[in-house]
Amino acid sequence: MLKDWVYLKEQDCYFMERVPYCLCPEVPEQQCMNIYVPAVFLTGEGKLTEKVHENGFTASTVPVIFENGLAGYMEAEPFDLEDGRSGAKDFLQAGFVYVSCGCRGRSSRDARGKGCGKSPLSLVDLKAGIRFLKHYAGVLPGDMKKIISVGISAGGAMSTLLGSTGNSENYEKELQRAGAFMEETDDIFGAQCYCPIIDLDHADLAYEWMFRGKTHYTGMPFVGFGEGDLTPFAAALSDRLADAYVEYFNGLGLRHPVSGEPVQIGKEHEGSGYTCLMEKLEESAAKYLKKLERGEELSGPKIPATEAGDYIRGCYEAMNFDFPSESLVSVSGIDKSGWLSWDGTKARIAGLDQMQETYHRRLKLCPSFDDLNLIQAENQELGTPDCDKMHFNPLIAPLMEQLQSEFPRETSQYLEDYQKISDDKELAQRRYLINPMNYIGTEEKADLAPHYRIRVGSRDADTSLMITLTLALKLMNTGRTDVDYEIVWDEPHGRADYPGEVAAWVQKICANVE
Protein backbone atom coordinates (compact mmCIF):
# COMPACT_ATOMS: atom_id res chain seq x y z
CA MET A 1 0.00 0.00 0.00
CA LEU A 2 3.03 2.28 0.30
CA LYS A 3 4.22 4.30 -2.66
CA ASP A 4 7.58 5.64 -3.78
CA TRP A 5 8.97 8.69 -1.99
CA VAL A 6 9.21 11.94 -3.97
CA TYR A 7 11.64 14.70 -3.01
CA LEU A 8 10.34 18.26 -2.70
CA LYS A 9 13.19 20.76 -2.85
CA GLU A 10 11.20 23.79 -1.65
CA GLN A 11 10.46 22.17 1.70
CA ASP A 12 13.50 19.84 1.75
CA CYS A 13 11.25 16.89 2.43
CA TYR A 14 10.13 13.59 0.95
CA PHE A 15 6.46 12.82 0.47
CA MET A 16 3.95 10.16 -0.49
CA GLU A 17 0.49 11.32 -1.49
CA ARG A 18 -2.87 9.57 -1.74
CA VAL A 19 -1.74 6.55 0.24
CA PRO A 20 -4.73 4.27 1.01
CA TYR A 21 -4.83 3.33 4.70
CA CYS A 22 -7.53 0.65 4.66
CA LEU A 23 -8.20 -2.36 2.47
CA CYS A 24 -11.88 -1.74 1.69
CA PRO A 25 -12.35 2.00 1.10
CA GLU A 26 -15.80 3.12 0.03
CA VAL A 27 -14.54 6.55 -1.10
CA PRO A 28 -10.86 6.09 -2.01
CA GLU A 29 -10.14 9.78 -2.60
CA GLN A 30 -11.17 10.50 1.00
CA GLN A 31 -9.88 7.35 2.72
CA CYS A 32 -6.23 8.06 2.05
CA MET A 33 -3.39 10.10 3.52
CA ASN A 34 -0.48 12.32 2.53
CA ILE A 35 2.83 11.75 4.36
CA TYR A 36 5.61 14.36 4.52
CA VAL A 37 9.01 13.67 6.07
CA PRO A 38 11.97 16.04 6.63
CA ALA A 39 14.71 14.93 4.24
CA VAL A 40 17.20 14.39 7.06
CA PHE A 41 15.32 11.23 8.05
CA LEU A 42 15.44 9.45 4.65
CA THR A 43 18.01 8.45 2.05
CA GLY A 44 17.37 8.93 -1.65
CA GLU A 45 16.36 5.27 -1.80
CA GLY A 46 13.73 5.76 0.91
CA LYS A 47 15.66 4.10 3.74
CA LEU A 48 15.64 5.50 7.26
CA THR A 49 18.83 7.34 8.23
CA GLU A 50 20.46 7.60 11.65
CA LYS A 51 20.95 11.34 11.36
CA VAL A 52 19.83 13.65 14.17
CA HIS A 53 17.69 16.67 13.35
CA GLU A 54 18.55 19.92 15.10
CA ASN A 55 15.45 19.38 17.26
CA GLY A 56 17.15 16.29 18.71
CA PHE A 57 15.02 13.62 17.05
CA THR A 58 16.03 10.84 14.68
CA ALA A 59 13.98 8.92 12.12
CA SER A 60 12.98 6.43 14.81
CA THR A 61 12.23 8.95 17.58
CA VAL A 62 10.63 11.88 15.76
CA PRO A 63 6.98 12.53 16.65
CA VAL A 64 4.28 12.13 14.01
CA ILE A 65 1.74 14.90 13.53
CA PHE A 66 -1.59 13.41 12.42
CA GLU A 67 -3.87 16.18 11.15
CA ASN A 68 -7.39 15.83 9.82
CA GLY A 69 -9.24 18.43 7.74
CA LEU A 70 -12.78 17.71 8.88
CA ALA A 71 -14.79 20.97 8.93
CA GLY A 72 -18.47 21.08 9.73
CA TYR A 73 -18.37 17.26 9.86
CA MET A 74 -17.96 17.40 6.07
CA GLU A 75 -15.81 14.74 4.37
CA ALA A 76 -12.21 15.76 3.78
CA GLU A 77 -9.51 14.75 1.36
CA PRO A 78 -5.98 14.99 2.78
CA PHE A 79 -4.26 18.37 2.80
CA ASP A 80 -1.29 19.04 0.55
CA LEU A 81 1.51 21.44 1.50
CA GLU A 82 -0.03 24.37 -0.35
CA ASP A 83 -3.36 24.13 1.43
CA GLY A 84 -3.53 27.14 3.73
CA ARG A 85 -5.93 25.37 6.08
CA SER A 86 -3.23 22.96 7.27
CA GLY A 87 -0.35 23.34 9.67
CA ALA A 88 1.90 21.23 7.43
CA LYS A 89 4.65 23.75 6.70
CA ASP A 90 5.00 24.81 10.33
CA PHE A 91 5.23 21.23 11.57
CA LEU A 92 7.72 20.28 8.86
CA GLN A 93 9.81 23.33 9.65
CA ALA A 94 9.91 22.16 13.26
CA GLY A 95 11.31 18.85 11.99
CA PHE A 96 8.34 16.58 12.65
CA VAL A 97 6.84 13.96 10.38
CA TYR A 98 3.54 15.35 9.10
CA VAL A 99 0.56 13.22 8.04
CA SER A 100 -2.68 14.63 6.68
CA CYS A 101 -5.40 12.01 6.90
CA GLY A 102 -8.55 12.26 4.82
CA CYS A 103 -11.83 10.72 5.93
CA ARG A 104 -15.45 10.27 5.03
CA GLY A 105 -17.99 12.77 6.29
CA ARG A 106 -21.65 13.63 6.52
CA SER A 107 -22.33 13.82 2.79
CA SER A 108 -19.96 11.13 1.52
CA ARG A 109 -21.36 8.75 -1.07
CA ASP A 110 -20.00 5.46 -2.31
CA ALA A 111 -19.69 4.34 -5.94
CA ARG A 112 -23.39 3.46 -6.00
CA GLY A 113 -24.36 6.91 -4.77
CA LYS A 114 -25.38 5.67 -1.32
CA GLY A 115 -24.54 7.77 1.73
CA CYS A 116 -21.64 6.27 3.67
CA GLY A 117 -20.18 8.89 6.00
CA LYS A 118 -22.53 9.45 8.93
CA SER A 119 -21.50 9.25 12.56
CA PRO A 120 -19.16 7.67 13.61
CA LEU A 121 -17.45 6.93 10.28
CA SER A 122 -15.16 9.99 10.20
CA LEU A 123 -13.70 8.81 13.49
CA VAL A 124 -13.51 5.21 12.26
CA ASP A 125 -11.49 6.32 9.24
CA LEU A 126 -9.05 8.30 11.36
CA LYS A 127 -8.61 5.33 13.67
CA ALA A 128 -7.88 3.20 10.61
CA GLY A 129 -5.26 5.77 9.61
CA ILE A 130 -3.58 5.51 13.02
CA ARG A 131 -3.52 1.71 12.73
CA PHE A 132 -1.99 1.98 9.25
CA LEU A 133 0.89 4.11 10.54
CA LYS A 134 1.54 1.69 13.37
CA HIS A 135 1.48 -1.22 10.94
CA TYR A 136 4.34 0.35 9.02
CA ALA A 137 6.35 1.42 12.06
CA GLY A 138 10.03 1.06 11.27
CA VAL A 139 9.38 1.31 7.55
CA LEU A 140 7.93 4.80 7.68
CA PRO A 141 9.96 7.43 9.56
CA GLY A 142 8.49 8.41 12.90
CA ASP A 143 7.93 7.05 16.38
CA MET A 144 4.46 5.59 16.15
CA LYS A 145 4.23 5.65 19.93
CA LYS A 146 4.29 9.45 19.70
CA ILE A 147 1.42 10.24 17.33
CA ILE A 148 -0.08 13.69 17.96
CA SER A 149 -3.55 14.28 16.55
CA VAL A 150 -4.48 17.77 15.33
CA GLY A 151 -7.90 19.03 14.27
CA ILE A 152 -10.06 22.15 14.11
CA SER A 153 -13.80 22.49 14.85
CA ALA A 154 -15.42 19.15 13.94
CA GLY A 155 -11.83 18.07 13.30
CA GLY A 156 -11.08 19.23 16.84
CA ALA A 157 -13.89 16.95 17.96
CA MET A 158 -12.24 14.07 16.10
CA SER A 159 -8.89 14.90 17.73
CA THR A 160 -10.57 14.91 21.14
CA LEU A 161 -12.18 11.56 20.35
CA LEU A 162 -8.95 9.99 19.11
CA GLY A 163 -7.44 10.95 22.44
CA SER A 164 -10.30 9.60 24.54
CA THR A 165 -11.50 6.46 22.71
CA GLY A 166 -8.21 4.67 22.09
CA ASN A 167 -8.75 0.96 21.35
CA SER A 168 -12.41 1.09 22.34
CA GLU A 169 -14.30 -2.01 21.20
CA ASN A 170 -17.24 0.19 20.22
CA TYR A 171 -15.69 0.92 16.81
CA GLU A 172 -14.33 -2.52 15.92
CA LYS A 173 -17.20 -3.60 13.68
CA GLU A 174 -16.84 -0.56 11.41
CA LEU A 175 -13.04 -0.79 11.48
CA GLN A 176 -13.27 -4.37 10.26
CA ARG A 177 -15.74 -3.38 7.55
CA ALA A 178 -13.34 -0.69 6.32
CA GLY A 179 -10.48 -3.16 6.18
CA ALA A 180 -8.37 -1.55 8.91
CA PHE A 181 -5.31 -3.32 10.31
CA MET A 182 -7.10 -4.96 13.23
CA GLU A 183 -3.91 -6.39 14.73
CA GLU A 184 -2.79 -2.83 15.50
CA THR A 185 -3.97 -0.31 18.11
CA ASP A 186 -5.40 3.17 17.61
CA ASP A 187 -4.52 4.98 20.85
CA ILE A 188 -2.46 8.15 20.49
CA PHE A 189 0.14 10.04 22.52
CA GLY A 190 -1.29 13.54 22.33
CA ALA A 191 -4.37 15.42 21.13
CA GLN A 192 -4.26 19.01 19.91
CA CYS A 193 -7.89 20.15 19.94
CA TYR A 194 -8.75 23.48 18.34
CA CYS A 195 -12.27 24.77 19.14
CA PRO A 196 -13.74 21.24 19.26
CA ILE A 197 -17.45 20.91 18.47
CA ILE A 198 -18.21 18.24 21.05
CA ASP A 199 -20.89 17.09 23.48
CA LEU A 200 -23.69 17.44 20.95
CA ASP A 201 -25.97 15.96 23.62
CA HIS A 202 -25.72 19.22 25.55
CA ALA A 203 -24.22 21.78 23.16
CA ASP A 204 -27.64 23.38 22.51
CA LEU A 205 -28.07 23.87 26.25
CA ALA A 206 -24.56 25.23 26.80
CA TYR A 207 -24.98 27.75 23.99
CA GLU A 208 -28.11 29.26 25.48
CA TRP A 209 -26.55 29.53 28.94
CA MET A 210 -23.53 31.24 27.39
CA PHE A 211 -25.66 33.76 25.51
CA ARG A 212 -28.48 34.00 28.01
CA GLY A 213 -30.69 36.98 27.26
CA LYS A 214 -28.90 37.75 23.98
CA THR A 215 -31.55 37.54 21.28
CA HIS A 216 -29.65 39.27 18.46
CA TYR A 217 -27.47 36.98 16.33
CA THR A 218 -24.86 37.86 13.73
CA GLY A 219 -25.76 34.97 11.42
CA MET A 220 -24.06 32.23 9.40
CA PRO A 221 -24.52 33.11 5.70
CA PHE A 222 -22.71 29.98 4.55
CA VAL A 223 -25.31 27.90 6.44
CA GLY A 224 -28.29 29.86 5.21
CA PHE A 225 -29.21 32.69 7.58
CA GLY A 226 -27.99 36.23 8.09
CA GLU A 227 -28.13 38.69 10.96
CA GLY A 228 -31.37 39.00 12.90
CA ASP A 229 -33.21 38.51 16.18
CA LEU A 230 -34.63 35.39 17.80
CA THR A 231 -38.39 35.05 17.55
CA PRO A 232 -40.30 35.24 20.85
CA PHE A 233 -40.74 31.45 20.64
CA ALA A 234 -37.01 30.85 20.14
CA ALA A 235 -36.18 33.27 22.95
CA ALA A 236 -38.52 31.43 25.31
CA LEU A 237 -37.01 28.09 24.30
CA SER A 238 -33.56 29.57 24.84
CA ASP A 239 -34.41 30.35 28.48
CA ARG A 240 -35.50 26.78 29.13
CA LEU A 241 -32.42 25.30 27.45
CA ALA A 242 -30.21 27.57 29.54
CA ASP A 243 -31.92 26.46 32.75
CA ALA A 244 -31.49 22.81 31.77
CA TYR A 245 -27.76 23.33 31.20
CA VAL A 246 -27.30 24.39 34.82
CA GLU A 247 -28.67 21.06 36.03
CA TYR A 248 -26.47 19.14 33.61
CA PHE A 249 -23.26 21.03 34.36
CA ASN A 250 -23.70 20.91 38.13
CA GLY A 251 -24.40 17.19 37.90
CA LEU A 252 -20.99 16.46 36.36
CA GLY A 253 -19.27 16.68 39.74
CA LEU A 254 -16.38 18.75 38.36
CA ARG A 255 -13.75 20.03 40.75
CA HIS A 256 -11.25 22.85 40.48
CA PRO A 257 -7.88 21.34 39.51
CA VAL A 258 -5.98 23.36 42.15
CA SER A 259 -8.35 23.91 45.08
CA GLY A 260 -10.35 20.72 44.68
CA GLU A 261 -13.54 22.69 45.34
CA PRO A 262 -16.72 21.85 43.40
CA VAL A 263 -17.18 23.82 40.18
CA GLN A 264 -20.80 24.93 39.76
CA ILE A 265 -22.81 27.53 37.86
CA GLY A 266 -26.04 29.43 38.51
CA LYS A 267 -28.88 30.21 36.14
CA GLU A 268 -27.41 33.61 35.43
CA HIS A 269 -23.73 34.20 34.72
CA GLU A 270 -22.58 33.33 38.21
CA GLY A 271 -20.99 30.57 40.28
CA SER A 272 -17.50 29.09 40.50
CA GLY A 273 -17.74 27.68 36.96
CA TYR A 274 -18.43 31.15 35.61
CA THR A 275 -15.55 32.49 37.70
CA CYS A 276 -13.22 29.85 36.17
CA LEU A 277 -14.24 30.94 32.69
CA MET A 278 -13.68 34.62 33.41
CA GLU A 279 -10.28 33.88 34.93
CA LYS A 280 -9.24 32.08 31.74
CA LEU A 281 -10.49 35.01 29.65
CA GLU A 282 -8.55 37.50 31.77
CA GLU A 283 -5.40 35.38 31.50
CA SER A 284 -5.97 35.29 27.75
CA ALA A 285 -6.28 39.08 27.46
CA ALA A 286 -3.22 39.62 29.68
CA LYS A 287 -1.06 37.33 27.55
CA TYR A 288 -2.16 39.14 24.40
CA LEU A 289 -1.54 42.62 25.83
CA LYS A 290 1.92 41.66 27.09
CA LYS A 291 2.83 40.36 23.64
CA LEU A 292 1.43 43.52 22.06
CA GLU A 293 3.54 45.77 24.26
CA ARG A 294 6.67 43.69 23.63
CA GLY A 295 6.11 43.85 19.88
CA GLU A 296 5.75 40.06 19.53
CA GLU A 297 3.71 38.34 16.84
CA LEU A 298 0.06 38.19 17.85
CA SER A 299 -2.89 35.91 17.40
CA GLY A 300 -6.03 37.40 15.92
CA PRO A 301 -6.15 40.50 13.70
CA LYS A 302 -2.84 42.08 12.79
CA ILE A 303 -3.02 45.61 14.17
CA PRO A 304 -0.75 48.66 13.93
CA ALA A 305 -1.38 49.64 17.55
CA THR A 306 1.62 49.15 19.84
CA GLU A 307 0.07 50.62 22.96
CA ALA A 308 -2.31 48.56 25.04
CA GLY A 309 -4.45 51.65 25.62
CA ASP A 310 -4.93 52.19 21.86
CA TYR A 311 -5.88 48.56 21.43
CA ILE A 312 -8.39 48.64 24.29
CA ARG A 313 -9.98 51.85 22.95
CA GLY A 314 -10.26 50.29 19.49
CA CYS A 315 -7.78 52.64 17.84
CA TYR A 316 -6.68 50.22 15.15
CA GLU A 317 -7.79 48.60 11.90
CA ALA A 318 -8.33 44.84 11.59
CA MET A 319 -8.92 42.52 8.64
CA ASN A 320 -12.17 40.55 8.80
CA PHE A 321 -13.75 38.15 6.32
CA ASP A 322 -16.73 39.69 4.49
CA PHE A 323 -19.20 37.05 3.35
CA PRO A 324 -21.02 39.05 0.64
CA SER A 325 -17.75 39.83 -1.15
CA GLU A 326 -15.98 36.64 0.00
CA SER A 327 -12.86 38.65 0.78
CA LEU A 328 -10.93 40.23 3.63
CA VAL A 329 -11.95 43.80 4.40
CA SER A 330 -10.54 46.40 6.75
CA VAL A 331 -12.75 47.22 9.73
CA SER A 332 -12.31 49.57 12.66
CA GLY A 333 -11.19 48.09 15.95
CA ILE A 334 -13.67 47.36 18.74
CA ASP A 335 -13.75 49.73 21.70
CA LYS A 336 -13.31 47.46 24.72
CA SER A 337 -12.72 50.19 27.31
CA GLY A 338 -16.17 49.73 28.85
CA TRP A 339 -15.37 46.23 30.07
CA LEU A 340 -11.63 45.54 29.65
CA SER A 341 -8.91 47.19 31.77
CA TRP A 342 -5.16 46.64 32.01
CA ASP A 343 -2.66 47.67 34.69
CA GLY A 344 0.43 46.44 32.85
CA THR A 345 0.35 43.05 34.56
CA LYS A 346 -3.23 41.88 34.89
CA ALA A 347 -6.31 42.27 32.73
CA ARG A 348 -9.75 42.72 34.21
CA ILE A 349 -13.04 41.99 32.44
CA ALA A 350 -16.15 43.53 33.96
CA GLY A 351 -18.35 40.62 32.98
CA LEU A 352 -19.37 38.24 30.23
CA ASP A 353 -22.62 40.11 29.53
CA GLN A 354 -20.77 43.36 28.86
CA MET A 355 -18.18 41.57 26.73
CA GLN A 356 -20.94 40.03 24.61
CA GLU A 357 -22.47 43.37 23.66
CA THR A 358 -19.79 44.21 21.09
CA TYR A 359 -16.95 41.68 21.21
CA HIS A 360 -18.16 38.11 21.74
CA ARG A 361 -21.58 38.22 20.10
CA ARG A 362 -24.19 35.54 19.60
CA LEU A 363 -23.74 33.88 16.20
CA LYS A 364 -26.47 31.27 15.96
CA LEU A 365 -30.20 30.66 16.06
CA CYS A 366 -31.88 28.65 18.82
CA PRO A 367 -31.45 25.71 18.94
CA SER A 368 -27.92 26.33 17.80
CA PHE A 369 -27.04 22.76 16.75
CA ASP A 370 -30.26 20.74 16.43
CA ASP A 371 -31.81 23.45 14.29
CA LEU A 372 -35.57 23.85 14.00
CA ASN A 373 -35.33 23.55 10.21
CA LEU A 374 -32.46 21.02 10.04
CA ILE A 375 -29.97 23.42 8.46
CA GLN A 376 -26.96 22.81 10.72
CA ALA A 377 -24.14 20.40 9.90
CA GLU A 378 -24.93 18.27 12.93
CA ASN A 379 -28.43 17.54 11.62
CA GLN A 380 -26.81 15.85 8.64
CA GLU A 381 -23.96 14.25 10.59
CA LEU A 382 -26.44 12.40 12.80
CA GLY A 383 -28.75 11.38 9.98
CA THR A 384 -28.70 8.05 8.16
CA PRO A 385 -28.08 6.98 4.54
CA ASP A 386 -31.87 6.84 4.12
CA CYS A 387 -32.75 9.95 6.14
CA ASP A 388 -30.06 12.48 5.34
CA LYS A 389 -30.95 15.11 7.97
CA MET A 390 -32.52 14.48 11.36
CA HIS A 391 -33.24 16.07 14.68
CA PHE A 392 -31.01 14.45 17.26
CA ASN A 393 -31.40 16.11 20.68
CA PRO A 394 -34.08 14.35 22.80
CA LEU A 395 -33.74 17.00 25.52
CA ILE A 396 -35.48 19.63 23.39
CA ALA A 397 -38.96 18.09 23.03
CA PRO A 398 -39.91 18.11 26.75
CA LEU A 399 -38.74 21.71 27.05
CA MET A 400 -40.68 22.70 23.94
CA GLU A 401 -43.78 21.01 25.36
CA GLN A 402 -43.74 23.57 28.17
CA LEU A 403 -44.34 26.29 25.57
CA GLN A 404 -47.42 24.79 23.90
CA SER A 405 -50.01 27.04 25.50
CA GLU A 406 -48.00 30.21 24.89
CA PHE A 407 -46.85 29.34 21.37
CA PRO A 408 -49.40 26.91 19.86
CA ARG A 409 -48.51 27.70 16.22
CA GLU A 410 -44.76 27.16 16.61
CA THR A 411 -45.04 24.02 18.72
CA SER A 412 -47.53 22.48 16.28
CA GLN A 413 -44.98 23.15 13.53
CA TYR A 414 -41.88 21.76 15.26
CA LEU A 415 -42.67 19.70 18.35
CA GLU A 416 -43.77 16.43 16.74
CA ASP A 417 -40.52 16.04 14.79
CA TYR A 418 -38.48 16.43 17.98
CA GLN A 419 -40.74 13.99 19.84
CA LYS A 420 -40.19 11.33 17.17
CA ILE A 421 -36.56 10.84 18.16
CA SER A 422 -37.13 10.29 21.88
CA ASP A 423 -36.86 6.48 21.66
CA ASP A 424 -34.55 6.16 18.65
CA LYS A 425 -31.88 3.84 20.02
CA GLU A 426 -29.81 3.79 16.82
CA LEU A 427 -29.67 7.58 16.83
CA ALA A 428 -28.68 7.54 20.50
CA GLN A 429 -25.81 5.21 19.62
CA ARG A 430 -24.62 7.41 16.74
CA ARG A 431 -24.65 10.38 19.10
CA TYR A 432 -22.91 8.43 21.86
CA LEU A 433 -20.02 7.32 19.68
CA ILE A 434 -18.95 10.89 18.82
CA ASN A 435 -19.24 12.37 22.30
CA PRO A 436 -15.87 12.16 24.10
CA MET A 437 -17.56 13.02 27.41
CA ASN A 438 -18.90 9.44 27.41
CA TYR A 439 -15.32 8.12 27.61
CA ILE A 440 -13.48 10.57 29.88
CA GLY A 441 -13.63 9.56 33.52
CA THR A 442 -16.32 6.93 32.91
CA GLU A 443 -16.46 3.14 32.99
CA GLU A 444 -15.92 2.86 29.23
CA LYS A 445 -12.84 0.79 28.47
CA ALA A 446 -10.64 3.01 26.33
CA ASP A 447 -7.06 4.26 26.43
CA LEU A 448 -6.78 7.97 27.18
CA ALA A 449 -4.03 9.98 25.53
CA PRO A 450 -1.47 11.09 28.15
CA HIS A 451 -1.34 14.62 26.73
CA TYR A 452 -4.03 17.08 25.67
CA ARG A 453 -3.68 20.64 24.39
CA ILE A 454 -6.94 22.58 24.02
CA ARG A 455 -7.18 25.99 22.36
CA VAL A 456 -10.24 28.10 21.58
CA GLY A 457 -10.54 31.74 20.53
CA SER A 458 -12.02 34.37 22.83
CA ARG A 459 -14.34 35.48 20.01
CA ASP A 460 -15.43 31.95 19.07
CA ALA A 461 -19.22 31.85 19.11
CA ASP A 462 -19.71 28.66 17.08
CA THR A 463 -20.21 26.85 20.38
CA SER A 464 -20.21 27.85 24.02
CA LEU A 465 -16.87 28.58 25.66
CA MET A 466 -18.15 26.39 28.49
CA ILE A 467 -17.75 23.35 26.23
CA THR A 468 -13.94 23.52 26.19
CA LEU A 469 -13.78 24.55 29.85
CA THR A 470 -15.84 21.49 30.76
CA LEU A 471 -13.66 19.25 28.59
CA ALA A 472 -10.49 20.57 30.22
CA LEU A 473 -11.85 20.18 33.76
CA LYS A 474 -13.15 16.67 33.12
CA LEU A 475 -9.78 15.61 31.68
CA MET A 476 -7.91 17.18 34.59
CA ASN A 477 -10.20 15.50 37.10
CA THR A 478 -9.27 12.05 35.78
CA GLY A 479 -5.70 12.52 37.03
CA ARG A 480 -4.59 10.41 34.05
CA THR A 481 -3.55 13.03 31.50
CA ASP A 482 -1.81 16.39 31.53
CA VAL A 483 -3.91 19.18 30.08
CA ASP A 484 -2.67 22.42 28.53
CA TYR A 485 -5.77 24.60 28.14
CA GLU A 486 -5.97 28.22 27.07
CA ILE A 487 -8.39 30.67 25.53
CA VAL A 488 -6.53 32.63 22.84
CA TRP A 489 -7.43 36.29 22.76
CA ASP A 490 -9.01 37.91 19.70
CA GLU A 491 -9.23 34.67 17.75
CA PRO A 492 -12.53 33.53 16.18
CA HIS A 493 -13.49 29.93 15.44
CA GLY A 494 -10.44 28.27 13.92
CA ARG A 495 -6.76 27.51 14.54
CA ALA A 496 -6.56 29.72 17.62
CA ASP A 497 -2.90 29.82 18.58
CA TYR A 498 0.27 31.88 18.79
CA PRO A 499 3.05 31.22 16.27
CA GLY A 500 5.34 28.37 17.26
CA GLU A 501 3.56 27.40 20.48
CA VAL A 502 2.04 24.12 19.30
CA ALA A 503 5.41 22.95 17.91
CA ALA A 504 7.04 23.85 21.23
CA TRP A 505 4.39 21.79 23.05
CA VAL A 506 5.04 18.77 20.81
CA GLN A 507 8.78 19.15 21.40
CA LYS A 508 8.24 19.35 25.15
CA ILE A 509 5.97 16.32 25.59
CA CYS A 510 7.99 14.12 23.23
CA ALA A 511 11.49 14.91 24.47
CA ASN A 512 13.13 12.11 26.47
CA VAL A 513 10.17 9.76 25.96
CA GLU A 514 11.11 6.16 25.32
Side-chain angles (χ1 to χ4, degrees), residues 438-474:
N438 294 324
Y439 294 85
I440 301 168
T442 70
E443 294 182 356
E444 279 283 0
K445 293 181 179 179
D447 293 317
L448 185 67
H451 303 280
Y452 265 86
R453 187 173 185 267
I454 304 165
R455 292 294 186 272
V456 61
S458 64
R459 298 186 68 183
D460 189 341
D462 281 59
T463 190
S464 171
L465 293 176
M466 292 298 289
I467 291 292
T468 46
L469 174 66
T470 304
L471 171 64
L473 289 173
K474 198 168 187 191

Side-chain angles (χ1 to χ4, degrees), residues 37 42 59 118 216-217 224 229 247 299 370 422 454 464 470 489 503:
V37 178
L42 283 173
K118 305 299 188 183
H216 187 79
Y217 52 84
D229 296 289
E247 181 179 355
S299 65
D370 191 353
S422 61
I454 304 165
S464 171
T470 304
W489 192 257

Side-chain angles (χ1 to χ4, degrees), residues 97 167 192 317 504 508:
V97 171
N167 308 319
Q192 168 60 62
E317 295 289 317
K508 176 184 174 183

Side-chain angles (χ1 to χ4, degrees), residues 80-374:
D80 60 36
L81 287 186
E82 299 308 314
D83 195 318
R85 297 170 298 170
S86 82
K89 291 182 178 179
D90 290 338
F91 287 120
L92 275 175
Q93 187 175 6
F96 307 137
V97 171
Y98 175 82
V99 176
S100 175
C101 190
C103 60
R104 290 169 292 174
R106 59 186 167 97
S107 64
S108 290
R109 294 192 175 276
D110 62 20
R112 300 169 298 165
K114 187 174 180 62
C116 63
K118 305 299 188 183
S119 170
L121 295 180
S122 297
L123 178 59
V124 167
D125 284 351
L126 296 173
K127 284 176 170 285
I130 296 288
R131 289 171 180 248
F132 172 88
L133 292 174
K134 291 185 178 183
H135 185 76
Y136 286 102
V139 177
L140 293 171
D143 184 347
M144 301 311 170
K145 294 180 181 178
K146 292 188 288 195
I147 295 176
I148 315 293
S149 172
V150 178
I152 304 171
S153 191
M158 293 301 114
S159 192
T160 308
L161 283 156
L162 287 172
S164 60
T165 65
N167 308 319
S168 169
E169 294 180 353
N170 293 343
Y171 307 90
E172 284 193 354
K173 181 178 178 181
E174 287 296 342
L175 283 166
Q176 289 173 343
R177 193 170 72 85
F181 289 97
M182 299 306 296
E183 69 274 21
E184 305 293 350
T185 59
D186 57 53
D187 57 301
I188 61 172
F189 186 68
Q192 168 60 62
C193 314
Y194 289 113
C195 57
I197 299 294
I198 58 169
D199 196 6
L200 298 181
D201 299 71
H202 305 96
D204 288 305
L205 284 60
Y207 201 85
E208 300 314 319
W209 184 89
M210 185 79 190
F211 291 101
R212 175 149 227 162
K214 303 297 187 294
T215 56
H216 187 79
Y217 52 84
T218 58
M220 302 177 74
F222 54 91
V223 172
F225 66 97
E227 191 168 357
D229 296 289
L230 296 182
T231 66
F233 168 69
L237 181 60
S238 171
D239 285 340
R240 281 159 177 77
L241 289 167
D243 287 348
Y245 182 66
V246 177
E247 181 179 355
Y248 163 70
F249 182 90
N250 292 343
L252 289 173
L254 299 173
R255 293 191 171 272
H256 193 282
V258 177
S259 70
E261 294 295 317
V263 177
Q264 304 269 278
I265 58 172
K267 288 190 174 182
E268 302 301 324
H269 289 157
E270 60 191 7
S272 56
Y274 170 73
T275 300
C276 279
L277 177 63
M278 297 311 296
E279 287 173 350
K280 297 302 293 187
L281 283 165
E282 289 176 341
E283 290 171 9
S284 170
K287 181 174 180 177
Y288 183 94
L289 291 168
K290 287 176 183 177
K291 284 181 171 288
L292 173 67
E293 293 187 331
R294 292 195 296 257
E296 298 178 10
E297 193 170 357
L298 300 171
S299 65
K302 303 301 181 282
I303 61 175
T306 56
E307 297 292 332
D310 287 343
Y311 169 77
I312 291 172
R313 290 189 297 273
C315 300
Y316 61 91
E317 295 289 317
M319 299 302 292
N320 280 5
F321 187 78
D322 178 65
F323 282 100
S325 65
E326 296 185 348
S327 63
L328 289 173
V329 297
S330 177
V331 297
S332 298
I334 296 171
D335 184 357
K336 297 168 278 291
S337 59
W339 50 268
L340 176 63
S341 60
W342 171 245
D343 65 6
T345 303
K346 294 183 178 181
R348 291 285 181 264
I349 296 174
L352 186 60
D353 290 295
Q354 296 92 318
M355 179 177 161
Q356 288 175 336
E357 291 297 329
T358 57
Y359 179 80
H360 183 246
R361 301 172 67 192
R362 181 187 184 104
L363 175 71
K364 293 184 170 185
L365 302 167
C366 174
S368 51
F369 292 90
D370 191 353
D371 181 79
L372 293 173
N373 297 304
L374 303 173

